Amino acid sequence: MENLLGLQRINVIRGIKLAIRDASARSSDPYVVVTMANQKLRTRAVKKNVNPEWNEELTLAIADPNLPIKLEVFDRDTFTPDDKIGDAEFDIKTFVEVAMMRLQSMTSGTIIRKIKPNRENCLAEESPITWENQKVIQRMYLRLRNVECGEIELQLQWIETPDSRGL
């Protein structure tokens, strides 16, 4: 891929108080779909759990940091189309800017930037971008939209590639 800035690893950690979509089971079988431009990745479904733990790493190739990453949560159904549990999106522009800084001399655990929740983002709380063990990391809790309840916990990690062009 030409114009590659680097790779964005997204650890989809867990869901918190997701909406119930299986009325008979009083639960859901949730999975997460992550999309950016023409890239689409998904986690496995976790059966009968509104507080699922995925701990799955998904990796996107980043060429344009201005494009948002979209996240949709679905309830897996066997005989009918999967029900949507909610969606969210987040911006990676600030994260990529931090990743392009030369931070090797920083102390591990240093907070480089903090992204505050606002009306334009889906953050449920402040999201720090830190330098940890020679890696740029961002932890975030996303409040799902278009649903009565639910949050998704993620951790982002930047991966340099040998042929990346930088910003």
Side-chain angles (χ1 to χ4, degrees), residues 20-29 48 75-77 83:
I20 294 171
R21 290 295 181 257
D22 289 339
S24 61
R26 303 195 61 127
S27 191
S28 291
D29 304 321
K48 296 184 169 112
D75 170 43
R76 188 170 169 275
D77 290 326
D83 299 312

Side-chain angles (χ1 to χ4, degrees), residues 44-57:
R44 73 188 186 290
V46 176
K47 290 185 184 270
K48 296 184 169 112
N49 199 330
V50 293
N51 294 297
E53 295 202 15
W54 291 284
N55 287 313
E56 284 191 42
E57 291 183 346

Side-chain angles (χ1 to χ4, degrees), residues 64-121:
D64 183 354
N66 297 306
L67 296 175
I69 295 177
K70 296 180 180 169
L71 185 137
E72 294 177 290
V73 183
F74 293 93
D75 170 43
R76 188 170 169 275
D77 290 326
T78 306
F79 301 111
T80 58
D82 293 351
D83 299 312
K84 192 167 181 179
I85 296 180
D87 63 85
E89 69 178 40
F90 58 95
D91 181 37
I92 60 165
K93 188 171 170 101
T94 302
F95 181 82
V96 173
E97 287 171 0
V98 169
M100 296 298 148
M101 295 176 177
R102 299 293 167 230
L103 301 170
Q104 285 72 19
S105 62
M106 288 268 185
T107 305
S108 185
T110 302
I111 296 173
I112 310 301
R113 297 245 173 94
K114 293 179 183 179
I115 312 295
K116 295 190 180 300
N118 61 41
R119 291 178 186 221
E120 282 78 51
N121 65 36

Side-chain angles (χ1 to χ4, degrees), residues 121-136:
N121 65 36
C122 293
L123 293 174
E125 59 185 52
E126 191 171 79
S127 177
I129 302 173
T130 59
W131 177 249
E132 295 178 28
N133 301 317
Q134 301 292 305
K135 296 176 183 135
V136 176

Side-chain angles (χ1 to χ4, degrees), residues 22-40:
D22 289 339
S24 61
R26 303 195 61 127
S27 191
S28 291
D29 304 321
Y31 65 91
V32 177
V33 176
V34 175
T35 57
M36 180 184 201
N38 60 354
Q39 301 174 80
K40 188 174 193 173

